[in-house]
Amino acid sequence: VHGTDDELVAHCLQGRREAFSELVLRHQKMVYSVARGMLGDAHLAEDLAQDAFLHAYRGLSSYRAQGKFSAWLRMIVTRLCLNYRRDTRREVAWDDLSGHPAELTDGPDSRVVEWERRSSVQRAVDSLPEDYRDVIVLRFMEDLTYDEIARQLGVPVSTIETRLHRAKKQLRQLLRELLV
Amino acid sequence: MNCEELEPWISAFQDNEIDLRRRRVVEAHLACCPDCRALCDEWADLARDVRTSLSRMETPDNLHARVMRQIPEPVVGSGRRFPVIRRQ
């Protein structure tokens, strides 16, 4: 199945199941990564990622084709993560790093050093309060603007600015401790 | 404004997310404050580190299959073009 995301959505609405399969293939890395970044738990992230796709499938008829399917999907997974945390009030630890970041570069030695550094940064991000973790993930992993983050999380832009500032200060301190 | 008060603005400045009025204040301050220039550089390094480290994760092998198991096959001749997921 070929075409833009919007074309695939149109195929889905005509009952072509394989079109949705292609959409999952295209966006599963983003959906899973956002869930894992926000929840800090690989297994939970997998469950939430699955839920996000099912929500998307059920809601396809409400999607307005404007070439922004990935943004629409990101909104779904973000809201599911926020709802999950609100309902469970559970702080989870990013205690396993079995899900390797994609695209490690260079040879074996530098890969080890790079992996250790990435692991330290991930541990530091994981230890942030969840409000701070959310903005760090959406800003630095998803490359969203302050305005886009505000819309995803449903808070004012000024709140995003404050949270990011505080998150960076905490991260800087944590990394100083982890990387000595 | 002193350095501490300006810090949140410097953060937004470093993210290129600041309005023109505040940008001018920050630029004037940075021009004469080596400590805040160092802070700005440090946050730029931090942003680069975090951006690199938080690259998207490889997805679990079975995620796609798990999702697609929940998506029903269209029923031929049912008159329904868009298959409905039954809640489990």
Side-chain angles (χ1 to χ4, degrees):
Chain A
V1 185
H2 301 291
T4 64
D5 286 349
D6 286 353
E7 287 166 346
L8 291 176
V9 170
H11 289 316
C12 290
L13 292 172
Q14 291 166 353
R16 292 188 62 185
R17 187 174 179 273
E18 68 274 21
F20 193 73
S21 172
E22 175 62 22
L23 284 170
V24 176
L25 285 174
R26 285 185 189 180
H27 298 288
Q28 60 179 353
K29 186 177 279 190
M30 179 274 286
V31 170
Y32 174 74
S33 298
V34 169
R36 181 158 176 175
M38 289 182 69
L39 299 172
D41 179 280
H43 298 294
L44 200 49
E46 191 172 344
D47 290 344
L48 263 288
Q50 179 181 343
D51 282 353
F53 280 115
L54 298 183
H55 271 77
Y57 185 79
R58 291 188 196 110
L60 275 181
S61 55
S62 68
Y63 168 71
R64 295 184 178 180
Q66 295 174 327
K68 294 179 180 175
F69 181 77
S70 64
W72 182 72
L73 197 51
R74 189 186 295 110
M75 179 73 84
I76 290 173
V77 68
T78 302
R79 290 296 164 90
L80 281 176
C81 290
L82 292 174
N83 289 348
Y84 175 83
R85 288 202 310 230
R86 182 199 62 208
D87 293 345
T88 59
R89 300 312 313 162
R90 173 171 165 245
E91 192 67 44
V92 291
W94 201 333
D95 55 3
D96 85 279
L97 292 167
S98 55
H100 293 216
E103 299 166 14
L104 278 177
T105 55
D106 302 329
D109 291 342
S110 60
R111 282 173 67 97
V112 171
V113 173
E114 188 181 351
W115 173 241
E116 286 174 350
R117 186 170 185 82
R118 287 185 180 199
S119 299
S120 297
V121 174
Q122 286 174 342
R123 281 199 298 277
V125 171
D126 176 50
S127 64
L128 291 172
E130 55 195 29
D131 283 348
Y132 294 175
R133 197 162 64 213
D134 293 344
V135 291
I136 289 289
V137 166
L138 293 174
R139 174 70 188 173
F140 295 112
M141 190 169 75
E142 292 301 303
D143 269 331
L144 301 190
T145 64
Y146 284 16
D147 188 55
E148 289 168 331
I149 298 170
R151 273 187 274 128
Q152 293 272 321
L153 298 179
V155 297
V157 173
S158 58
T159 302
I160 301 303
E161 187 175 312
T162 302
R163 284 183 189 172
L164 265 169
H165 167 236
R166 291 176 181 167
K168 285 186 213 173
K169 280 182 76 168
Q170 280 202 21
L171 261 185
R172 183 179 57 169
Q173 185 58 40
L174 286 164
L175 285 171
R176 279 178 178 161
E177 294 164 9
L178 284 168
L179 294 173
V180 288
Chain B
M1 292 178 79
N2 62 30
C3 297
E4 192 177 344
E5 290 167 334
L6 272 176
E7 223 185 74
W9 291 16
I10 294 172
S11 167
F13 170 84
Q14 198 274 323
D15 283 337
N16 202 24
E17 288 273 1
I18 198 169
D19 58 78
L20 188 59
R21 180 186 68 81
R22 293 192 299 163
R23 171 178 291 279
R24 285 181 177 149
V25 174
V26 170
E27 284 174 342
H29 181 82
L30 291 177
C32 61
C33 180
D35 287 347
C36 284
R37 279 203 302 276
L39 176 70
C40 197
D41 290 344
E42 204 174 338
W43 273 343
D45 291 342
L46 177 74
R48 191 170 48 248
D49 262 356
V50 174
R51 209 177 287 277
T52 304
S53 302
L54 288 188
S55 55
R56 289 177 176 174
M57 298 282 170
E58 293 295 351
T59 47
D61 291 338
N62 61 344
L63 177 59
H64 178 264
R66 279 183 61 182
V67 172
M68 292 312 296
R69 271 199 296 273
Q70 301 292 316
I71 306 297
E73 298 283 353
V75 181
V76 178
S78 67
R80 191 195 297 281
R81 291 196 308 165
F82 189 44
V84 175
I85 298 175
R86 280 188 294 275
R87 288 184 180 272
Q88 296 188 330

mmCIF file of all heavy atoms in Angstrom, chain A residues 10-34:
data_model
loop_
_atom_site.group_PDB
_atom_site.id
_atom_site.type_symbol
_atom_site.label_atom_id
_atom_site.label_comp_id
_atom_site.label_asym_id
_atom_site.label_seq_id
_atom_site.Cartn_x
_atom_site.Cartn_y
_atom_site.Cartn_z
ATOM 1 N N ALA A 10 -7.717 7.500 4.096
ATOM 2 C CA ALA A 10 -8.887 7.369 3.216
ATOM 3 C C ALA A 10 -9.106 5.905 2.834
ATOM 4 O O ALA A 10 -10.254 5.422 2.820
ATOM 5 C CB ALA A 10 -8.687 8.226 1.966
ATOM 6 N N HIS A 11 -8.016 5.176 2.555
ATOM 7 C CA HIS A 11 -8.143 3.743 2.241
ATOM 8 C C HIS A 11 -8.726 2.980 3.435
ATOM 9 O O HIS A 11 -9.550 2.077 3.270
ATOM 10 C CB HIS A 11 -6.791 3.151 1.871
ATOM 11 C CG HIS A 11 -6.276 3.603 0.531
ATOM 12 N ND1 HIS A 11 -7.078 3.666 -0.586
ATOM 13 C CD2 HIS A 11 -5.042 3.997 0.132
ATOM 14 C CE1 HIS A 11 -6.355 4.094 -1.624
ATOM 15 N NE2 HIS A 11 -5.124 4.312 -1.208
ATOM 16 N N CYS A 12 -8.239 3.327 4.635
ATOM 17 C CA CYS A 12 -8.754 2.661 5.848
ATOM 18 C C CYS A 12 -10.259 2.847 5.951
ATOM 19 O O CYS A 12 -11.000 1.908 6.262
ATOM 20 C CB CYS A 12 -8.122 3.252 7.113
ATOM 21 S SG CYS A 12 -6.393 2.881 7.346
ATOM 22 N N LEU A 13 -10.689 4.064 5.692
ATOM 23 C CA LEU A 13 -12.124 4.367 5.837
ATOM 24 C C LEU A 13 -12.963 3.642 4.793
ATOM 25 O O LEU A 13 -14.179 3.515 4.941
ATOM 26 C CB LEU A 13 -12.346 5.883 5.760
ATOM 27 C CG LEU A 13 -11.770 6.674 6.945
ATOM 28 C CD1 LEU A 13 -11.850 8.168 6.704
ATOM 29 C CD2 LEU A 13 -12.487 6.304 8.242
ATOM 30 N N GLN A 14 -12.287 3.159 3.742
ATOM 31 C CA GLN A 14 -12.997 2.355 2.740
ATOM 32 C C GLN A 14 -12.892 0.865 3.065
ATOM 33 O O GLN A 14 -13.258 0.025 2.244
ATOM 34 C CB GLN A 14 -12.419 2.633 1.351
ATOM 35 C CG GLN A 14 -12.740 4.045 0.854
ATOM 36 C CD GLN A 14 -11.894 4.438 -0.341
ATOM 37 O OE1 GLN A 14 -10.976 3.715 -0.725
ATOM 38 N NE2 GLN A 14 -12.192 5.578 -0.925
ATOM 39 N N GLY A 15 -12.330 0.567 4.249
ATOM 40 C CA GLY A 15 -12.275 -0.818 4.689
ATOM 41 C C GLY A 15 -11.010 -1.561 4.316
ATOM 42 O O GLY A 15 -10.957 -2.782 4.451
ATOM 43 N N ARG A 16 -9.969 -0.833 3.889
ATOM 44 C CA ARG A 16 -8.724 -1.520 3.519
ATOM 45 C C ARG A 16 -7.830 -1.631 4.751
ATOM 46 O O ARG A 16 -7.129 -0.685 5.131
ATOM 47 C CB ARG A 16 -8.030 -0.786 2.380
ATOM 48 C CG ARG A 16 -8.797 -0.869 1.075
ATOM 49 C CD ARG A 16 -8.002 -0.295 -0.071
ATOM 50 N NE ARG A 16 -6.767 -1.024 -0.307
ATOM 51 C CZ ARG A 16 -5.847 -0.643 -1.199
ATOM 52 N NH1 ARG A 16 -6.051 0.443 -1.916
ATOM 53 N NH2 ARG A 16 -4.743 -1.339 -1.359
ATOM 54 N N ARG A 17 -7.861 -2.783 5.357
ATOM 55 C CA ARG A 17 -7.136 -3.036 6.598
ATOM 56 C C ARG A 17 -5.625 -2.855 6.422
ATOM 57 O O ARG A 17 -4.930 -2.391 7.317
ATOM 58 C CB ARG A 17 -7.449 -4.470 7.038
ATOM 59 C CG ARG A 17 -6.945 -4.904 8.371
ATOM 60 C CD ARG A 17 -7.494 -6.300 8.660
ATOM 61 N NE ARG A 17 -7.040 -6.830 9.926
ATOM 62 C CZ ARG A 17 -5.904 -7.504 10.063
ATOM 63 N NH1 ARG A 17 -5.136 -7.724 9.022
ATOM 64 N NH2 ARG A 17 -5.556 -7.970 11.257
ATOM 65 N N GLU A 18 -5.119 -3.235 5.239
ATOM 66 C CA GLU A 18 -3.676 -3.167 5.019
ATOM 67 C C GLU A 18 -3.174 -1.724 5.032
ATOM 68 O O GLU A 18 -1.991 -1.473 5.280
ATOM 69 C CB GLU A 18 -3.281 -3.871 3.711
ATOM 70 C CG GLU A 18 -3.764 -3.195 2.425
ATOM 71 C CD GLU A 18 -5.170 -3.621 2.025
ATOM 72 O OE1 GLU A 18 -5.918 -4.103 2.890
ATOM 73 O OE2 GLU A 18 -5.516 -3.471 0.828
ATOM 74 N N ALA A 19 -4.060 -0.779 4.762
ATOM 75 C CA ALA A 19 -3.650 0.624 4.820
ATOM 76 C C ALA A 19 -3.347 1.028 6.262
ATOM 77 O O ALA A 19 -2.398 1.779 6.527
ATOM 78 C CB ALA A 19 -4.749 1.527 4.240
ATOM 79 N N PHE A 20 -4.147 0.511 7.194
ATOM 80 C CA PHE A 20 -3.864 0.818 8.599
ATOM 81 C C PHE A 20 -2.578 0.133 9.035
ATOM 82 O O PHE A 20 -1.789 0.690 9.803
ATOM 83 C CB PHE A 20 -5.021 0.392 9.503
ATOM 84 C CG PHE A 20 -4.905 0.975 10.877
ATOM 85 C CD1 PHE A 20 -5.160 2.316 11.110
ATOM 86 C CD2 PHE A 20 -4.503 0.186 11.956
ATOM 87 C CE1 PHE A 20 -5.019 2.874 12.369
ATOM 88 C CE2 PHE A 20 -4.364 0.732 13.224
ATOM 89 C CZ PHE A 20 -4.627 2.077 13.430
ATOM 90 N N SER A 21 -2.340 -1.065 8.526
ATOM 91 C CA SER A 21 -1.086 -1.775 8.823
ATOM 92 C C SER A 21 0.116 -0.910 8.428
ATOM 93 O O SER A 21 1.092 -0.799 9.164
ATOM 94 C CB SER A 21 -1.079 -3.104 8.068
ATOM 95 O OG SER A 21 0.170 -3.728 8.170
ATOM 96 N N GLU A 22 0.031 -0.282 7.280
ATOM 97 C CA GLU A 22 1.127 0.577 6.811
ATOM 98 C C GLU A 22 1.281 1.804 7.721
ATOM 99 O O GLU A 22 2.398 2.222 8.039
ATOM 100 C CB GLU A 22 0.859 1.011 5.364
ATOM 101 C CG GLU A 22 1.860 2.003 4.793
ATOM 102 C CD GLU A 22 3.294 1.477 4.707
ATOM 103 O OE1 GLU A 22 3.474 0.232 4.695
ATOM 104 O OE2 GLU A 22 4.234 2.305 4.663
ATOM 105 N N LEU A 23 0.182 2.364 8.154
ATOM 106 C CA LEU A 23 0.264 3.520 9.061
ATOM 107 C C LEU A 23 0.941 3.136 10.381
ATOM 108 O O LEU A 23 1.727 3.904 10.933
ATOM 109 C CB LEU A 23 -1.143 4.074 9.336
ATOM 110 C CG LEU A 23 -1.770 4.887 8.204
ATOM 111 C CD1 LEU A 23 -3.249 5.160 8.497
ATOM 112 C CD2 LEU A 23 -1.029 6.203 7.980
ATOM 113 N N VAL A 24 0.634 1.941 10.862
ATOM 114 C CA VAL A 24 1.277 1.482 12.104
ATOM 115 C C VAL A 24 2.780 1.338 11.882
ATOM 116 O O VAL A 24 3.585 1.795 12.704
ATOM 117 C CB VAL A 24 0.668 0.134 12.576
ATOM 118 C CG1 VAL A 24 1.410 -0.392 13.807
ATOM 119 C CG2 VAL A 24 -0.810 0.290 12.894
ATOM 120 N N LEU A 25 3.157 0.742 10.760
ATOM 121 C CA LEU A 25 4.581 0.582 10.466
ATOM 122 C C LEU A 25 5.292 1.941 10.408
ATOM 123 O O LEU A 25 6.387 2.109 10.908
ATOM 124 C CB LEU A 25 4.780 -0.152 9.135
ATOM 125 C CG LEU A 25 4.517 -1.658 9.145
ATOM 126 C CD1 LEU A 25 4.622 -2.210 7.722
ATOM 127 C CD2 LEU A 25 5.505 -2.375 10.059
ATOM 128 N N ARG A 26 4.649 2.908 9.797
ATOM 129 C CA ARG A 26 5.268 4.224 9.636
ATOM 130 C C ARG A 26 5.457 4.959 10.961
ATOM 131 O O ARG A 26 6.418 5.697 11.131
ATOM 132 C CB ARG A 26 4.406 5.103 8.724
ATOM 133 C CG ARG A 26 4.501 4.754 7.275
ATOM 134 C CD ARG A 26 3.713 5.752 6.440
ATOM 135 N NE ARG A 26 3.637 5.279 5.060
ATOM 136 C CZ ARG A 26 3.010 5.935 4.097
ATOM 137 N NH1 ARG A 26 2.399 7.074 4.360
ATOM 138 N NH2 ARG A 26 2.987 5.443 2.871
ATOM 139 N N HIS A 27 4.522 4.778 11.865
ATOM 140 C CA HIS A 27 4.496 5.652 13.047
ATOM 141 C C HIS A 27 4.741 4.937 14.368
ATOM 142 O O HIS A 27 4.724 5.582 15.411
ATOM 143 C CB HIS A 27 3.157 6.396 13.101
ATOM 144 C CG HIS A 27 2.940 7.289 11.919
ATOM 145 N ND1 HIS A 27 3.645 8.465 11.737
ATOM 146 C CD2 HIS A 27 2.144 7.162 10.832
ATOM 147 C CE1 HIS A 27 3.257 9.037 10.602
ATOM 148 N NE2 HIS A 27 2.365 8.265 10.033
ATOM 149 N N GLN A 28 4.979 3.636 14.340
ATOM 150 C CA GLN A 28 5.100 2.925 15.610
ATOM 151 C C GLN A 28 6.316 3.383 16.415
ATOM 152 O O GLN A 28 6.266 3.423 17.646
ATOM 153 C CB GLN A 28 5.127 1.412 15.398
ATOM 154 C CG GLN A 28 6.263 0.898 14.552
ATOM 155 C CD GLN A 28 6.226 -0.630 14.422
ATOM 156 O OE1 GLN A 28 5.420 -1.296 15.063
ATOM 157 N NE2 GLN A 28 7.091 -1.188 13.590
ATOM 158 N N LYS A 29 7.381 3.756 15.742
ATOM 159 C CA LYS A 29 8.571 4.200 16.477
ATOM 160 C C LYS A 29 8.281 5.493 17.243
ATOM 161 O O LYS A 29 8.657 5.641 18.408
ATOM 162 C CB LYS A 29 9.740 4.400 15.499
ATOM 163 C CG LYS A 29 11.052 4.715 16.190
ATOM 164 C CD LYS A 29 12.206 4.826 15.210
ATOM 165 C CE LYS A 29 12.745 3.469 14.836
ATOM 166 N NZ LYS A 29 14.011 3.567 14.070
ATOM 167 N N MET A 30 7.620 6.423 16.604
ATOM 168 C CA MET A 30 7.269 7.679 17.278
ATOM 169 C C MET A 30 6.326 7.410 18.451
ATOM 170 O O MET A 30 6.549 7.899 19.571
ATOM 171 C CB MET A 30 6.617 8.639 16.283
ATOM 172 C CG MET A 30 6.179 9.978 16.865
ATOM 173 S SD MET A 30 4.531 9.976 17.616
ATOM 174 C CE MET A 30 3.495 9.942 16.138
ATOM 175 N N VAL A 31 5.277 6.624 18.196
ATOM 176 C CA VAL A 31 4.266 6.389 19.232
ATOM 177 C C VAL A 31 4.887 5.691 20.446
ATOM 178 O O VAL A 31 4.707 6.108 21.594
ATOM 179 C CB VAL A 31 3.098 5.553 18.656
ATOM 180 C CG1 VAL A 31 2.158 5.081 19.759
ATOM 181 C CG2 VAL A 31 2.326 6.375 17.629
ATOM 182 N N TYR A 32 5.675 4.660 20.169
ATOM 183 C CA TYR A 32 6.301 3.910 21.261
ATOM 184 C C TYR A 32 7.297 4.785 22.015
ATOM 185 O O TYR A 32 7.350 4.780 23.250
ATOM 186 C CB TYR A 32 6.995 2.667 20.705
ATOM 187 C CG TYR A 32 7.788 1.911 21.740
ATOM 188 C CD1 TYR A 32 7.142 1.148 22.711
ATOM 189 C CD2 TYR A 32 9.180 1.984 21.766
ATOM 190 C CE1 TYR A 32 7.864 0.471 23.674
ATOM 191 C CE2 TYR A 32 9.914 1.308 22.726
ATOM 192 C CZ TYR A 32 9.244 0.548 23.674
ATOM 193 O OH TYR A 32 9.973 -0.122 24.635
ATOM 194 N N SER A 33 8.087 5.569 21.288
ATOM 195 C CA SER A 33 9.126 6.386 21.924
ATOM 196 C C SER A 33 8.530 7.460 22.823
ATOM 197 O O SER A 33 9.049 7.738 23.899
ATOM 198 C CB SER A 33 10.020 7.027 20.856
ATOM 199 O OG SER A 33 10.682 6.040 20.112
ATOM 200 N N VAL A 34 7.463 8.093 22.367
ATOM 201 C CA VAL A 34 6.811 9.108 23.199
ATOM 202 C C VAL A 34 6.257 8.449 24.463
ATOM 203 O O VAL A 34 6.444 8.955 25.580
ATOM 204 C CB VAL A 34 5.678 9.823 22.420
ATOM 205 C CG1 VAL A 34 4.829 10.671 23.361
ATOM 206 C CG2 VAL A 34 6.273 10.704 21.319
#
